[in-house]
Amino acid sequence: MDNYIVSARKYRPKGFEEVVGQAHITTTLTNAIQNDQLAQALLFCGPRGVGKTTCARIVARMINEFNESDLNNLNIFELDAASNNSVEDIRNLIDQVRYAPQQGKYKVYIIDEVHMLSTAAFNAFLKTLEEPPSYAIFILATTEKHKVLPTILSRCQIYDFNRIQVADIADHLKKIADTEGIKTEESALHLIAQKADGALRDALSLFDLIVTFSADNAVEYSATIENLHILDYDYYFNLTDLLLAQDRTNCVLLFDEILQKGFDGQHFLTGLNEHFRNLLMSKDAPTVKLLEVPENIKEKYLIQSAKLSPSYLINAMNFTTQADAQYKTSRNQRLLVELTLMKLAYLQSAVDLIAANDGGVEVKKKVS
């Protein structure tokens, strides 16, 4: 127990080559460092868990030619602005800037969650940020760039980090699992990656959770959906088949089964809307790549999408979107979802009728 280290720490990248999904950032920073063109004030922006602080630490080590064991060197300072956001905190930092480094070339100041600084603290920081000593590098990180004062933004070189793609997260989890000797199922890793919503750190935490739950050191699909409380894809595929068969009775019974499993009605609507969206994307070869699902699930989408017209899917998404918007204010939320399912069950008939009428009108025009 004493020796256990969570994956997010154990596999934190030590160099840019290990950073996942941020090639546009790592390439630019590497070139800037190699060409001695690194700005003295950098602003790393992006969602949580995508590598902002990690990249800041890598930059600090690279420009000073330190290794991993030198991370706590006196040349590298980290300040969490979420809890150290006063003028006094910034003044203490400015006092440290006045002294040149005792070893290495640069003193690097990493300020995390910089948007949490008070306005007075920002103002106290401006002069130092605008005219820093030649040996000082400031790396600011934030998840909310719009909250950073424009006067600060104008003094920084801005790097926008992306949400990490599901496939990239799943591949990274697979590499870690292979290193650790953990058996995995591709569909399970994709579920973890989707649940993480682009944040690799979150994905690693979820991965650790599933491994801990497993008795045989494996990451399996069934255990993953149970632990992460995710509704299985099969529910939506089965429901869509029932809707096409206009079987409103079993549609409502299937929704009841989902509720009995502890899922929220709005969670179900969101998933159903996403299912219709994926079916629509599966209708055209160029948009199939937009599906962030395992290959076996992608095949199911391709097969089911062939049974549905784009008109049906677009109208179905309109119904589910409206129900989702009305859900919070509805006095009878269950009835709202059931009514939506009943409408969807007869939607195909309406689409066919409209198509038939349009065809009749077209025939009359040609005859005339």
Side-chain angles (χ1 to χ4, degrees), residues 32 48 140 145 182 195 203 232 240 244 257 306 335:
R48 72 183 191 281
L140 317 181
K145 183 170 68 173
I182 298 170
K195 188 76 171 179
D232 194 353
T240 303
L244 284 173
E257 181 183 334
L335 179 59

Side-chain angles (χ1 to χ4, degrees), residues 183-200:
K183 298 177 182 178
T184 61
E185 293 180 6
E186 181 191 5
S187 54
L189 296 180
H190 268 266
L191 278 181
I192 294 172
Q194 285 178 322
K195 188 76 171 179
D197 192 25
L200 183 57

